[in-house]
Amino acid sequence: MAAANKRRPKIDLGVQSGERRRGKSMFGIVLGTLNKAKIEDKERNASDAAKKRQLIEQRLQTKLRKETDSVRRAEEAKKDKTAANRKEEELQLKDSIHKLRHARLPLLANFLLTCDIFPSSDSFSPPPSFDPLAQPPRSHPPPLYYLPAILTPAQEAFLARRKVEVIEAADKEWLAFHEERTAGIEEIKQLRQRVAEEDVRRKKEREAAGKGEGEDKEMAEETQGPQPDPTPQPDAEMEVDEGSKPGSASETRKESTEPERKDESAAMQADDEDAVEY
């Protein structure tokens, strides 16, 4: 019962309320300082120098983006130039090959090969048709071109049919290559046109960059303000030296006159003493 009747000690709320008030006042001071800093920051940003500085930063960022874009376009122009040169070399090589084939294959169609198979004289059905522009098969010994002095009817029919097939196939091949060459030439023109446009654009950007750098320097000088000249001033040193010289001369004169005055005073004292003794 005695333990149940014991009362718990009361908590002094007065001290805690004072501490709470003190904490609230400190928190209010901190908030006021922060708000004041924000206001000062806004005022500083709103000043003319800050505006000019922000304008310079924006120009620098724009310049960086333009330089990145210019580098990327320069790489693309370089690739286009390389592709155009490679395409032109390929077209020149193909053109020489097709010209040679178009001129040489119809001439070779006038000769027989040792590997040719002629149909029999009884059956006038033509042999199975192969590619007329195909090269002779490789064998040992290799096939040879020849032309007999007197041709058999089968040989004459074989040569006549092969001439027609070779000429038609050569013409078709030349026409297909002519279309391919036309498309390739157009592609090369487009690639070189893009390279030329990129060169013109880079030249204009260089001129604009030169003007922009001048404006940026002027704005930077305006934001920094006038700077004092760090060069020494010899005139001031000369004046100091010249001012020190007369002073030193006057001091030497004073020092030279002081012993003379001492000698005169000593002589006058000696005369007075002599007069007293007499």
Side-chain angles (χ1 to χ4, degrees):
M1 294 296 291
N5 293 330
K6 287 183 179 180
R7 295 181 180 179
R8 295 179 181 179
K10 295 182 178 180
I11 299 172
D12 191 1
L13 300 177
V15 177
Q16 292 184 356
S17 62
E19 291 179 355
R20 288 179 182 177
R21 291 176 183 175
R22 193 180 302 109
K24 288 181 179 180
S25 62
M26 293 295 294
F27 185 69
I29 292 170
V30 172
L31 287 178
T33 306
L34 292 175
N35 291 329
K36 186 178 180 180
K38 288 181 180 180
I39 294 170
E40 290 178 355
D41 192 11
K42 290 180 180 178
E43 292 177 353
R44 194 181 302 110
N45 292 332
S47 62
D48 294 337
K51 289 180 180 178
K52 290 180 180 179
R53 195 177 299 109
Q54 289 178 358
L55 183 60
I56 291 173
E57 290 178 357
Q58 290 177 0
R59 286 186 177 179
L60 290 175
Q61 291 177 0
T62 305
K63 184 179 179 181
L64 180 61
R65 287 195 297 268
K66 286 183 178 179
E67 287 180 354
T68 305
D69 190 17
S70 178
V71 171
R72 180 181 59 79
R73 290 186 178 180
E75 291 294 332
E76 291 179 356
K78 187 176 180 181
K79 291 180 181 178
D80 291 342
K81 187 176 181 180
T82 305
N85 294 334
R86 188 181 295 112
K87 189 73 175 177
E88 186 178 8
E89 291 177 358
E90 290 178 358
L91 284 179
Q92 289 177 354
L93 180 61
K94 288 183 178 180
D95 184 69
S96 60
I97 292 172
H98 282 82
K99 281 182 179 179
L100 180 62
R101 285 172 61 85
H102 189 261
R104 186 169 177 267
L105 291 176
L107 295 176
L108 293 177
N110 295 318
F111 296 89
L112 297 173
L113 279 170
T114 55
C115 62
D116 288 337
I117 300 172
F118 305 106
S120 60
S121 58
D122 298 334
S123 62
F124 293 96
S125 61
S129 178
F130 297 99
D131 184 9
L133 301 181
Q135 296 294 326
R138 294 184 179 181
S139 60
H140 185 75
L144 300 175
Y145 285 96
Y146 71 98
L147 183 63
I150 299 174
L151 296 174
T152 63
Q155 291 175 345
E156 289 179 356
F158 180 81
L159 286 176
R161 183 167 47 80
R162 191 167 67 178
K163 285 179 185 179
V164 174
E165 291 177 354
V166 169
I167 291 172
E168 289 179 357
D171 291 339
K172 288 181 180 179
E173 186 183 44
W174 176 253
L175 289 174
F177 170 71
H178 184 71
E179 293 177 357
E180 180 184 354
R181 185 181 64 177
T182 304
I185 290 172
E186 187 66 25
E187 184 180 357
I188 291 170
K189 285 182 180 179
Q190 291 178 359
L191 292 173
R192 289 185 173 172
Q193 185 177 0
R194 280 191 285 180
V195 173
E197 290 175 356
E198 179 64 20
D199 292 339
V200 174
R201 189 188 63 80
R202 289 179 65 184
K203 189 180 293 183
K204 290 181 180 179
E205 282 186 356
R206 288 174 185 173
E207 294 176 357
K211 295 179 181 179
E213 287 178 359
E215 293 178 358
D216 293 340
K217 287 181 181 178
E218 291 178 359
M219 292 189 68
E221 290 176 358
E222 291 178 359
T223 53
Q224 290 177 1
Q227 296 181 356
D229 189 5
T231 55
Q233 298 179 357
D235 296 339
E237 294 180 357
M238 294 289 290
E239 290 176 1
V240 172
D241 294 337
E242 290 175 359
S244 62
K245 287 181 180 178
S248 60
S250 60
E251 288 177 1
T252 53
R253 289 177 183 175
K254 289 179 181 179
E255 289 175 359
S256 60
T257 53
E258 283 177 0
E260 293 178 359
R261 291 178 181 178
K262 288 180 180 180
D263 294 337
E264 290 177 0
S265 60
M268 291 176 68
Q269 289 177 2
D271 295 336
D272 295 334
E273 290 175 358
D274 293 338
V276 171
E277 289 177 359
Y278 284 105

